[in-house]
Amino acid sequence: MLKNNNTQVLKRMAGRSLKSSRRQSATMILAVLLSAFMLFSVFTVGMTYFKMQRLQNIRLGGGEYDAIMYGVTDEQLSTCRENPDILRFGVHALSGYIDETEYDNTPEVMLIWADETCWNEIMAPARERVEGRYPVEEDEVMVTEYALEKCGFHGLNVGDTFTAVYGAGAVKCEKTFRISGIWEGFGEKSAFYVSEKFYEQTGLDPADVASGRFLIDFRQTLISQEEQDTFIDSMKLGKQQRLFFTADSAFSIQILTGIAGLALVTCLCAYLLIYNIMYLSVAGNIRYYGLLQTIGMTGRQICGLIRRQMFLIGGIGLAGGVLLGSGVSFLVVPSVVKSLGIHMGKGGEIAVSFHPLILLLTLLLTGITVCIAGRKPAKTAVMCSPMEALGFRPSADVKRRGRLGGSRHLERKGHVSSSARIWRMAKEQITKDKRKAGIVMLSLAAGMSVFLCITTILTSQARREYNYNFRDFDMVVKNGTMRKEEQEKRVQIFDQTVLDRLDAVEGVSETAPLCYAEITVPWEPEFADMWMREFYETWMNIPYEDEVEEYKEFPENFGSSLVGISKADFEALNAVSEEPVDEAEFLSGKTCLLYRNGLELKNSDVTGKSVTCAAYGDRAHTRTFDIGGLVDVNDYTALLGYPPTIIVSENVVKEFADEPIIYKIGIRYREEYDAKTEAAILSVLDADPHGKDYSYESRIEMKREVEKAQGNMMEIGIGIALILALIGIMNYVNTFVGNIRSRRVEIAVLESIGMTGRQVKKMLILEGLLYAGGAWVITGIAGTAVTYKIYQSMNYAGTGFVIPAVPCVCAAVISVLICVSVPAAAYRDIERKGIVEYIKTASL
């Protein structure tokens, strides 16, 4: 065939083809637009989500910092000043505590000093409101309303004074304080911030690990593990010092890897959508391309025509997608983020910062996707001869034995039921073009997998932040008198009457009291001496030799506690122990566990040895236990002394001590987050004569605090998941509608040989169910595997992997409804036009 010089006509033909096939062109443009919008939005909103994740951690941590170090020396300060990677650092020092006021004997309010950098820069992003100024004089304090209420000073304002007894080190003094300012926000709210003058007169030193907290903020956002290790080595930490990176800094690379995985799945969704729609469009016009070849157009020119069509479609879609994505990213997202109520940056405003790389990635990925997606359809159009084009149907892989979509089954009357024949026809239609069916299922599964991944990560956010105790109780009530240094002031406020009243509260399923007895651990060379030597090297500023003689002669000056736990507590503790302990020996009182307390001791250092304890004030009343091992869970500590905290069965403590004190109670509700039950519990405790001497931690209050810190992060994440799921559903809708149009003659013939409209509709609905089932099988296998991998890469808190049941069930129901309703709606168009009209249309 001779080549005609019709290159100049291709541009006009490409434009006219878009106008003549408005519906198909609009569908493809919408596909490209949504893909570009999706990529642009995922990148920009994803970055915003990453920032919001950091903002949440800033709020929960009480400041914007990447690492915290316990204790800081002058040499380490100099090292940080010379480090170009450090943006700023500040000191946050414990300065004592409020021991009692005229209204409350156990207020549990700390005294803290923050230097200028720490207060004005590091902690500023976590504050919402400040009235007054930071303390300058020795008697001035910066307070929160929450801390004032805990002390019984509700209603005081800036300029007012109050009197309280405070403790700092070994000193207790009564002092009148003047409120210089009030702040509200996030961080340690149960504290009064004091001046530098006050801190200096306490005699405490930031180099002391018990007082100094050194907050470090790095310039870079992403800090690799190698960089973290290098920095830790450069600080030359002493044995007593500890340095920890915050969660979003320590795991920034893993979190970024997880986000990159989500972006990769997003690109896959975009590719499948564009490819499928373009394939159906080219396949539907294959006869048109065959006719063009009969009048002299070469395959290369046809390929150029399709490329020009794709160029126009891609250009229009890209422009619309970027504009739409820009509108969402730069108008909608900032308004949502501003609603968080936190100001960041020098300008005090939060805005989605535009990065040219985002636009470049969107254009590049969408352009590559359009090009790759159009290669196979263009190749199909070029390779099909004019004669083949006249009889071409998009289902190119149809086997001869199933030419009429399974009509041969209709001839087998009496052999199988009508429903079984229709089911086999639907299954055969899926398997005719396995590649196309696989692409549709994969696209739908990709959208569902992204939805599964994001919802799993978002729902786990609550569990990562709300689980604040070892056995996951709904509330933990603590004996406030335990903070008293004088033994006579530590009293039993949770007696049997209180326990019975708590058990009687409707909605309470379990109360788990923990008891303890005060003890001493007499000096002996095998174990006690080794433990105390390690303790002094780790936590004390004076050498062990200076006090070893006092310890030998007066062990009462070095008290500790014997803690009793239940069988359920032991099983939970034993499950996470390095070397599980024999249950029978532990419950019988033969063996014990020791709280490691941060010491650099291993199980091999203590197992096989024994520890002896004596009742406090009665050296003759002793008991010896074999040491089963060391534990790091600090939920089972009462009074942390120099000698070890010994953990034994609760029956052992009750036998050893006449009146062991219950120092805290774990309470579990029948229903999680039951506010009514919690209110009833607090009413019981408040009505007790010791109603002011307890404190509590509540999962409900923790949830409120975390949700407040998160702001609209959950909603934005769910919005991203829904957008991506919508892309997969759109692919299915376009594919199935196009599939039914390409089979209009086949469906008409089936009806002409006796198949009722109801049976055809049932067959199409069953095909939709097969698509939905196949998509969820892929999601259940591959989607769950990918979700687990991404989840673990972002799981910095080590939370167990749990798939959220309710969102997944809802998504499954919605996807099934869509997969069923689309075939039913598409068939209505066939019913309106009738058999003759469809045959006539197909022959044109």
Side-chain angles (χ1 to χ4, degrees):
M1 183 180 293
L2 297 176
K3 176 181 176 181
N4 294 325
N5 187 16
N6 50 16
T7 306
Q8 299 298 325
V9 183
L10 293 179
K11 293 182 180 180
R12 292 196 299 270
M13 291 182 65
R16 289 173 182 174
S17 66
L18 295 182
K19 294 179 182 178
S20 61
S21 304
R22 291 184 180 88
R23 188 171 183 177
Q24 291 181 344
S25 300
T27 302
M28 287 191 290
I29 290 174
L30 181 62
V32 179
L33 185 148
L34 285 176
S35 300
F37 162 72
M38 179 178 62
L39 289 172
F40 192 89
S41 299
V42 164
F43 286 137
T44 54
V45 179
M47 288 181 62
T48 304
Y49 182 85
F50 186 81
K51 292 179 180 178
M52 292 173 71
Q53 175 79 26
R54 180 170 175 80
L55 177 58
Q56 171 198 296
N57 291 331
I58 288 173
R59 288 175 156 184
L60 294 177
E64 185 177 10
Y65 55 91
D66 297 307
I68 180 171
M69 185 169 69
Y70 284 59
V72 57
T73 64
D74 293 337
E75 294 77 8
Q76 290 166 337
L77 283 173
S78 300
T79 301
C80 290
R81 290 191 184 97
E82 297 171 359
N83 191 328
D85 296 329
I86 294 179
L87 177 63
R88 56 196 171 193
F89 53 82
V91 176
H92 188 267
L94 302 180
S95 310
Y97 59 93
I98 298 296
D99 185 63
E100 61 181 78
T101 69
E102 58 179 310
Y103 303 104
D104 198 325
N105 291 327
T106 56
E108 296 189 8
V109 173
M110 302 298 296
L111 299 177
I112 300 175
W113 168 64
D115 69 4
E116 185 175 352
T117 302
C118 184
W119 177 261
N120 293 329
E121 299 182 34
I122 294 178
M123 297 175 60
R127 290 196 296 268
E128 293 179 322
R129 179 181 69 88
V130 177
E131 180 182 350
R133 58 172 175 78
Y134 191 82
V136 176
E137 301 301 327
E138 184 181 327
D139 62 341
E140 292 181 334
V141 288
M142 170 69 75
V143 303
T144 63
E145 293 181 359
Y146 177 75
L148 287 174
E149 290 179 2
K150 292 190 71 172
C151 293
F153 301 130
H154 177 70
L156 296 184
N157 295 309
V158 176
D160 294 337
T161 60
F162 63 86
T163 301
V165 176
Y166 75 91
V171 179
K172 283 188 180 180
C173 297
E174 183 177 88
K175 189 177 185 65
T176 300
F177 295 93
R178 183 171 68 254
I179 300 174
S180 65
I182 298 177
W183 71 276
E184 295 297 332
F186 300 88
E188 183 54 70
K189 293 187 290 186
S190 182
F192 293 154
Y193 282 86
V194 298
S195 65
E196 185 175 6
K197 292 181 180 179
F198 180 92
Y199 182 71
E200 290 175 347
Q201 64 89 25
T202 62
L204 299 173
D205 192 332
D208 185 359
V209 296
S211 174
R213 304 290 182 267
F214 190 55
L215 309 181
I216 308 168
D217 186 19
F218 290 88
R219 297 184 185 276
Q220 67 267 38
T221 303
L222 302 178
I223 307 174
S224 66
Q225 186 62 50
E226 182 180 355
E227 291 174 325
Q228 295 174 34
D229 295 339
T230 301
F231 176 74
I232 292 175
D233 292 339
S234 69
M235 295 301 290
K236 298 179 181 179
L237 301 178
K239 186 170 183 177
Q240 298 181 358
Q241 290 183 297
R242 300 290 186 273
L243 194 154
F244 304 99
F245 280 82
T246 58
D248 53 341
S249 297
F251 297 90
S252 55
I253 301 296
Q254 293 93 318
I255 294 174
L256 183 64
T257 302
I259 293 176
L262 291 177
L264 187 61
V265 177
T266 301
C267 294
L268 175 62
C269 291
Y271 166 75
L272 292 173
L273 177 61
I274 297 174
Y275 170 81
N276 213 20
I277 293 177
M278 286 191 169
Y279 177 79
L280 290 174
S281 176
V282 172
N285 291 320
I286 203 70
R287 298 175 65 194
Y288 168 69
Y289 297 123
L291 292 174
L292 289 178
Q293 293 187 59
T294 63
I295 61 175
M297 183 173 281
T298 65
R300 184 176 181 181
Q301 290 171 330
I302 290 176
C303 190
L305 173 62
I306 295 176
R307 285 200 188 98
R308 290 182 184 277
Q309 291 173 338
M310 290 191 298
F311 180 79
L312 291 173
I313 290 170
I316 297 172
L318 264 174
V322 171
L323 289 175
L324 182 61
S326 299
V328 170
S329 300
F330 296 104
L331 297 177
V332 178
V333 172
S335 64
V336 172
V337 177
K338 287 178 183 178
S339 68
L340 296 176
I342 291 294
H343 300 290
M344 297 179 66
K346 296 181 179 179
E349 297 290 337
I350 296 181
V352 178
S353 57
F354 173 75
H355 198 290
L357 186 60
I358 293 178
L359 178 59
L360 180 62
L361 281 175
T362 302
L363 297 176
L364 185 63
L365 291 176
T366 307
I368 292 175
T369 303
V370 171
C371 292
I372 296 176
R375 290 182 63 185
K376 178 61 184 291
K379 185 178 180 181
T380 302
V382 171
M383 296 300 293
C384 191
S385 66
M387 292 302 295
E388 291 173 330
L390 294 176
F392 179 83
R393 293 291 181 270
S395 297
D397 297 333
V398 178
K399 298 179 181 179
R400 290 184 179 180
R401 63 181 179 86
R403 195 67 180 175
L404 292 179
S407 61
R408 60 190 177 91
H409 296 298
L410 297 176
E411 300 172 359
R412 300 180 181 179
K413 296 181 179 179
H415 294 286
V416 289
S417 65
S418 175
S419 297
R421 286 196 298 269
I422 293 173
W423 173 258
R424 276 194 282 191
M425 291 169 64
K427 186 170 64 173
E428 186 177 275
Q429 185 60 43
I430 297 290
T431 57
K432 279 181 181 180
D433 194 343
K434 296 183 179 67
R435 183 173 182 178
K436 183 175 69 177
I439 289 175
V440 176
M441 291 181 185
L442 184 60
S443 177
L444 188 59
M448 295 299 101
S449 297
V450 172
F451 179 81
L452 171 66
C453 184
I454 294 182
T455 52
T456 300
I457 292 173
L458 290 176
T459 53
S460 71
Q461 188 75 26
R463 291 182 290 110
R464 287 201 299 268
E465 305 297 350
Y466 305 162
N467 290 353
Y468 59 89
N469 59 73
F470 180 57
R471 287 190 57 199
D472 201 19
F473 288 107
D474 294 283
M475 176 185 280
V476 175
V477 185
K478 299 180 179 180
N479 185 336
T481 65
M482 295 292 296
R483 296 175 58 88
K484 296 296 183 179
E485 294 184 6
E486 300 84 356
Q487 182 189 18
E488 62 274 10
K489 292 186 178 181
R490 297 192 286 268
V491 297
Q492 180 75 281
I493 68 172
F494 301 135
D495 55 20
Q496 191 60 44
T497 302
V498 174
L499 293 177
D500 292 340
R501 289 175 179 172
L502 291 176
D503 287 329
V505 172
E506 184 179 358
V508 172
S509 65
E510 178 188 357
T511 58
L514 290 176
C515 61
Y516 89 101
E518 293 189 48
I519 60 170
T520 60
V521 178
W523 183 92
E524 45 83 19
E526 291 296 324
F527 169 75
D529 185 72
M530 177 196 69
W531 177 279
M532 293 294 283
R533 192 173 301 278
E534 179 67 21
F535 180 86
Y536 270 75
E537 290 180 4
T538 302
W539 296 117
M540 303 300 291
N541 294 324
I542 56 177
Y544 173 58
E545 284 71 15
D546 290 358
E547 295 188 338
V548 63
E549 294 301 325
E550 180 185 356
Y551 176 48
K552 291 179 180 180
E553 187 174 356
F554 302 104
E556 292 81 6
N557 296 343
F558 303 84
S560 186
S561 55
L562 181 71
V563 175
I565 63 176
S566 66
K567 181 180 178 181
D569 290 315
F570 169 76
E571 291 174 349
L573 198 57
N574 209 28
V576 297
S577 298
E578 297 177 6
E579 297 178 9
V581 178
D582 182 83
E583 182 175 339
E585 292 185 352
F586 180 85
L587 296 179
S588 65
K590 182 179 180 181
T591 62
C592 71
L593 296 171
L594 304 180
Y595 176 60
R596 198 191 310 262
N597 198 16
L599 305 186
E600 295 182 0
L601 291 176
K602 301 177 182 179
N603 270 351
S604 58
D605 297 326
V606 297
T607 52
K609 297 182 179 180
S610 61
V611 57
T612 299
C613 67
Y616 192 86
D618 187 359
R619 297 186 184 185
H621 183 29
T622 63
R623 183 155 182 172
T624 301
F625 305 95
D626 293 335
I627 301 174
L630 301 170
V631 296
D632 296 309
V633 178
N634 63 358
D635 292 69
Y636 302 111
T637 59
L639 298 175
L640 274 178
Y642 295 6
T645 296
I646 303 175
I647 303 172
V648 295
S649 171
E650 59 184 354
N651 293 328
V652 174
V653 177
K654 293 176 182 178
E655 293 172 0
F656 182 78
D658 295 334
E659 295 182 4
I661 295 177
I662 296 175
Y663 66 96
K664 69 177 177 180
I665 307 172
I667 305 175
R668 197 182 312 280
Y669 308 156
R670 290 193 176 93
E671 297 182 5
E672 287 186 324
Y673 307 112
D674 188 346
K676 184 178 179 181
T677 298
E678 186 156 302
I681 292 171
L682 294 178
S683 297
V684 170
L685 295 173
D686 290 337
D688 190 78
H690 294 283
K692 291 185 178 181
D693 293 330
Y694 79 91
S695 62
Y696 70 95
E697 294 175 352
S698 160
R699 182 186 290 185
I700 292 178
E701 292 194 356
M702 178 65 75
K703 179 181 178 182
R704 291 172 183 163
E705 191 72 13
V706 172
E707 287 178 346
K708 186 179 178 182
Q710 290 174 342
N712 297 90
M713 186 173 69
M714 302 287 281
E715 288 79 0
I716 289 180
I718 292 173
I720 296 174
L722 292 177
I723 290 174
L724 298 180
L726 177 62
I727 297 295
I729 292 172
M730 268 196 61
N731 199 354
Y732 166 78
V733 172
N734 282 283
T735 302
F736 205 95
V737 171
N739 186 25
I740 291 178
R741 287 175 185 165
S742 68
R743 295 164 53 196
R744 56 185 182 266
V745 175
E746 179 183 319
I747 294 173
V749 172
L750 288 174
E751 291 188 356
S752 69
I753 61 176
M755 194 172 187
T756 65
R758 184 177 180 181
Q759 290 174 323
V760 174
K761 186 176 181 180
K762 184 177 180 180
M763 179 185 70
L764 296 176
I765 290 176
L766 287 175
E767 290 180 27
L769 287 174
L770 287 173
Y771 276 117
W776 275 105
V777 168
I778 297 173
T779 302
I781 299 174
T784 303
V786 173
T787 298
Y788 179 79
K789 189 69 176 178
I790 295 176
Y791 177 89
Q792 292 299 343
S793 70
M794 305 173 71
N795 187 21
Y796 52 81
T799 308
F801 177 75
V802 178
I803 295 177
V806 175
C808 289
V809 171
C810 292
V813 171
I814 292 173
S815 63
V816 170
L817 290 176
I818 292 173
C819 290
V820 169
S821 60
V822 168
Y827 183 67
R828 293 195 192 101
D829 190 41
I830 297 177
E831 289 182 313
R832 284 197 302 269
K833 291 188 177 181
I835 298 174
V836 176
E837 182 65 25
Y838 263 100
I839 295 176
K840 184 173 70 173
T841 303
S843 63
L844 293 177

